[in-house]
Amino acid sequence: MPGPARKPALQIVREGNPSKRPIPEHIVVPPATFDEPDWAAEFPIGQVGRKPSKPKLNDAGSFEEFQKQLAMYEWDLDRWSRKAVAAEASKFSRKRAGEEWARVVPILKVSVGLGNLDFATVVDLCVCVARLEWCERQISREGLIVEGQRGPCRNPLTTVATAYRTQFKTYIRELGLSPSARTGVPSRKDDDDDDDPFD
């Protein structure tokens, strides 16, 4: 059975170290400046196509044929609607992820420093924020309760939003993006450049 989570070095210093165990030093990585990713590649927009046309009873040879065409139309319309929503989500996410990148990356460079190892983490953070916000907007449009195959049910997007929110909490802790999380993330030293092993 695993024990309690290890305390960050700053928390040990703040609370005291009665056991006199060695205080862990954080790993230093060479600072890096990486370019913003191509959000169009992260959020590709698929072909939506033309909206299906509803069949008319006069165009069908018989009522049975019309029913078949109507069922096919409803299936095509549902498929088209899902593609249209996906395209809208990609457009929104491209813009929102770019905004989050511009907001977070300059702060992290100053506060904790960023290395090449952190690129994927920061990209995933921006993707997570964009997806989460889009889910919440769709939930506001559609409602928490939607009509399912067996009647009213919980909007499936609430499950997706919960998964993204859980992941977002992980990034908050890992990157020190909240007041409490910042106490566990070592700050970057700006006073003496002679101590930098990468100069």
Side-chain angles (χ1 to χ4, degrees):
M1 182 174 177
R6 295 181 62 182
K7 293 182 180 180
L10 292 181
Q11 184 178 353
I12 296 173
V13 172
R14 187 179 70 247
E15 297 177 356
N17 187 18
S19 64
K20 307 299 181 187
R21 291 184 180 177
I23 298 176
E25 295 291 337
H26 67 282
I27 298 174
V28 180
V29 296
T33 301
F34 35 74
D35 296 329
E36 182 176 356
D38 179 10
W39 297 114
E42 295 289 336
F43 302 102
I45 299 176
Q47 293 286 338
V48 178
R50 184 181 288 181
K51 185 177 180 179
S53 300
K54 189 173 182 178
K56 297 180 181 179
L57 181 58
N58 296 336
D59 296 337
S62 63
F63 184 71
E64 290 78 11
E65 184 65 26
F66 172 72
Q67 285 183 318
K68 290 180 181 179
Q69 292 179 4
L70 188 61
M72 183 62 69
Y73 160 77
E74 291 175 352
W75 186 86
D76 288 339
L77 181 63
D78 180 66
R79 187 179 177 198
W80 178 87
S81 299
R82 282 187 277 112
K83 287 183 176 181
V85 169
E88 178 189 349
S90 292
K91 291 177 183 177
F92 172 85
S93 298
R94 286 179 182 183
K95 182 175 182 293
R96 184 63 190 91
E99 293 171 351
E100 188 67 10
W101 180 277
R103 185 183 73 89
V104 170
V105 169
I107 296 172
L108 291 177
K109 284 181 179 178
V110 174
S111 62
V112 297
L114 289 176
N116 286 323
L117 297 175
D118 305 314
F119 177 76
T121 302
V122 179
V123 170
D124 204 32
L125 163 69
C126 297
V127 170
C128 181
V129 169
R131 293 290 193 196
L132 175 58
E133 288 195 13
W134 182 84
C135 284
E136 291 297 343
R137 288 181 180 226
Q138 282 298 110
I139 291 171
S140 296
R141 290 178 183 175
E142 300 172 6
L144 291 172
I145 305 299
V146 296
E147 193 68 28
Q149 291 182 348
R150 300 182 180 180
C153 63
R154 185 176 71 171
N155 193 326
L157 285 175
T158 58
T159 303
V160 179
T162 299
Y164 277 116
R165 186 166 279 108
T166 301
Q167 189 62 31
F168 182 53
K169 288 179 180 178
T170 302
Y171 294 131
I172 288 176
R173 184 177 65 252
E174 294 294 328
L175 297 173
L177 298 176
S178 73
S180 61
R182 281 193 287 274
T183 62
V185 177
S187 61
R188 185 177 180 182
K189 296 180 181 179
D190 294 327
D191 50 354
D192 191 0
D193 292 338
D194 294 338
D195 294 335
D196 191 348
F198 302 105
D199 283 346

